Amino acid sequence: MQMREDIFKIITSLPEKDLQHQLLEQSTMLNYDKNDVIVREGQYVKTLPIVLEGSIRVFQTKEDREILLYYVEPGQTCMMSLSAGFFNQASAIKAVAASTCTILSVPTRCIAPWQRRFDSWNSFVLKTFRKRYGELLTVFESVAFDHIDKRILDYLRHRAKKTNTRQIQISHQMLADELGTTRVVISRILKQFETDGTLILGRGTIELK
Amino acid sequence: MQMREDIFKIITSLPEKDLQHQLLEQSTMLNYDKNDVIVREGQYVKTLPIVLEGSIRVFQTKEDREILLYYVEPGQTCMMSLSAGFFNQASAIKAVAASTCTILSVPTRCIAPWQRRFDSWNSFVLKTFRKRYGELLTVFESVAFDHIDKRILDYLRHRAKKTNTRQIQISHQMLADELGTTRVVISRILKQFETDGTLILGRGTIELK
DNA sequence: TCCATAGTGTATCTTTTGATACTGTTCGGC
DNA sequence: GCCGAACAGTATCAAAAGATACACTATGGA
C-alpha cells in the first residue's frame, strides 16, 4: 500500500513495529464520495474504517427521520464497527460520507488479537469507546431535556468553534436533518433568532453574532 | 474477605488464579440501602462497583428532571466508573441503589493493568462497554423518536418480562421519574390504556393484559 | 380513631412541535 | 433570458406534552 501523509500520521501513533507492519499488510484503502452510504442499519460489519481524510456522519435513524450522533474525523474510527469486531452483531446506526473521504479499512478479525497484543492499539480501542460513549451521552442529554431553539444554537456554536468561523455554510433542510426535525421548524426558529439579533441569515449561510 | 455465593459466581467467571487472588485482595465489600446515592454527577470516581446483590439505577439528570439509562444487575458494572478507571474524568451520570444492595468495590487503579494482563478481565471490560453503549442507543432511540404512550408500554413490557410477572409494582410518580416526564402525563396515558383494555390499574400496581 | 402522606383522577390552559400548503427568491446551466 | 431545482418565508391547523390546581382515596402509623 502506498504511504500517504495521513497514513503516516496514524502509523506513528501506533509505535509497535509489528503492529505497523500488520496494519499496512492487512488493510486496504477506500474512497467515498459525499453522501455515499458506508454502513446501513442492520448491516453486519466486516471491516473497521479508520478515517484518513474527510469525515463520516453517523446517524441514528427510524423510518424517515434521523438524528446526528457524531462525526468520525481523520484518525478516528466508528464505535459500531469496533463493537462489531469483538462481537458479531448488526449495526444499529447508519454512516454516510460527510464529504469526499478516504478510509483505511481494517478487517474486523484483526481487532481483538491486536487489542490483546499491542498496547497502543488497546489504548486506541478504549479511547474510541470512551469518546463515542461520551458524545452519545451529550446528544442524549440535549435531545431529552432541551428545546429545539437551544439545540439549534448549540449546534451552530459548536460548528462555528470547530471550523473557527462565525459564517456557517448549511441549509435549513440540512440542519433539520442533523437535529431530527423538519425544515419549517428550523426556519421558524432561525427567523426568531434573527429578529432577536442573535444571528444573520443568508442563502445557505448563517452568521453568528 | 468472606466468600459468599455471589462473589464465588463472579470469581468463577474470571478463571485466572492470579486475577482471582488480586480481586479478593484489593476490593472491599459495601452495602447500600434503597435510594442511597452511589455516584453523583460531576463526582470523580475512584472505584469500580461490581454488583453482587440487588441493583443500581443509572440516570441522566438535568436540573430537577431525570431519565433512566439502565440498571446495573448482579455480576455487572457501571460504564462511567469503568471509563473513569482508564481516564480520570468526572461522572456524567447519577447512580442510585434501586434496592438494598451489596457491591464489590474495586479500586480504579487496578482496572487498566488487569485489562492488559488477564484475558477474562479484558473480555469483561469490553462486554461492559458494548452492553452499555447498546442500551444507551436503545434509550436514545425511544426518547428521540417515540411518543410517551409507546415508551410507557415498552417500559412496562420490558419490566414484566424481566420480573416474569404481569403485575408491576410501581407508582405513577416513579414511572414518571424513570421516563423523564411528570406524574399527570403518566396518569393520563395509563387511564387511556385502561380504557382500551390494555392494562388494569391498582394502587401502586399495573397489570398488563 | 384520627391524621398525615402517598397515590390517583381529572379539568383547564399553554407551549412546543409537527404537518401541510402556498409563495417567493436565488442560482446555475442551457 | 429561461427554466428547473434548491432554498427560504410564512400562515394555518392539530397533536403532544407540560403546568397548575383541586378533589378524592387508601394506607400506615401515633
Side-chain angles (χ1 to χ4, degrees), chain A residues 83 115-116 119 122 130, chain B residues 83 115-116 119 122 130:
Chain A
S83 193
Q115 193 258 344
R116 288 288 295 121
D119 265 338
N122 181 44
R130 186 199 50 156
Chain B
S83 193
Q115 194 259 344
R116 288 286 296 122
D119 265 337
N122 181 44
R130 186 201 48 157

Side-chain angles (χ1 to χ4, degrees), chain B residues 62-78:
Chain B
K62 176 135 188 179
E63 280 129 48
D64 57 340
R65 296 181 60 195
E66 48 184 38
I67 293 191
L68 177 72
L69 295 182
Y70 53 79
Y71 282 89
V72 185
E73 308 284 355
Q76 303 176 352
T77 188
C78 165

Side-chain angles (χ1 to χ4, degrees), chain A residues 36-61:
Chain A
D36 279 357
V37 178
I38 299 172
V39 182
R40 278 184 185 75
E41 277 196 306
Q43 190 179 336
Y44 282 82
V45 191
K46 299 281 176 235
T47 62
L48 179 76
I50 300 178
V51 173
L52 297 177
E53 206 180 342
S55 61
I56 299 175
R57 278 207 311 256
V58 175
F59 281 95
Q60 169 78 285
T61 69

Side-chain angles (χ1 to χ4, degrees), chain B residues 22-187:
Chain B
Q22 286 202 36
L23 191 66
L24 292 173
E25 187 94 343
Q26 302 281 337
S27 5
T28 53
M29 227 165 67
L30 297 175
N31 288 299
Y32 289 97
D33 288 334
K34 186 170 178 174
N35 296 328
D36 280 357
V37 177
I38 300 172
V39 181
R40 277 184 189 74
E41 277 196 307
Q43 191 179 336
Y44 282 81
V45 191
K46 298 280 176 235
T47 61
L48 178 76
I50 301 178
V51 173
L52 296 177
E53 206 179 342
S55 61
I56 300 175
R57 278 206 312 256
V58 175
F59 281 96
Q60 168 79 286
T61 69
K62 176 135 188 179
E63 280 129 48
D64 57 340
R65 296 181 60 195
E66 48 184 38
I67 293 191
L68 177 72
L69 295 182
Y70 53 79
Y71 282 89
V72 185
E73 308 284 355
Q76 303 176 352
T77 188
C78 165
M79 176 73 200
M80 265 344 269
S81 312
L82 205 46
S83 193
F86 288 104
F87 318 91
N88 186 37
Q89 59 175 14
S91 173
I93 53 84
K94 185 179 160 192
V96 176
S99 58
T100 308
C101 65
T102 310
I103 65 169
L104 193 63
S105 185
V106 185
T108 48
R109 62 181 147 73
C110 298
I111 301 177
W114 290 357
Q115 194 259 344
R116 288 286 296 122
R117 190 164 158 208
F118 304 111
D119 265 337
S120 65
W121 185 259
N122 181 44
S123 165
F124 177 68
V125 167
L126 291 175
K127 272 184 189 146
T128 301
F129 268 98
R130 186 201 48 157
K131 182 177 169 58
R132 298 309 173 201
Y133 193 81
E135 281 168 337
L136 185 51
L137 259 184
T138 305
V139 182
F140 179 82
E141 186 176 347
S142 74
V143 170
F145 299 125
D146 294 340
H147 286 167
I148 291 207
D149 50 357
K150 180 166 188 307
R151 292 180 51 211
I152 293 176
L153 219 49
D154 284 349
Y155 178 92
L156 292 175
R157 290 198 174 129
H158 178 256
R159 180 138 168 178
K161 201 175 173 186
K162 208 176 73 173
T163 57
N164 206 28
T165 162
R166 285 179 172 169
Q167 284 274 150
I168 296 144
Q169 306 292 316
I170 193 169
S171 75
H172 296 187
Q173 184 60 60
M174 280 294 295
L175 197 41
D177 290 343
E178 305 258 290
L179 299 180
T181 180
T182 60
R183 204 268 309 165
V184 183
V185 172
I186 297 287
S187 294

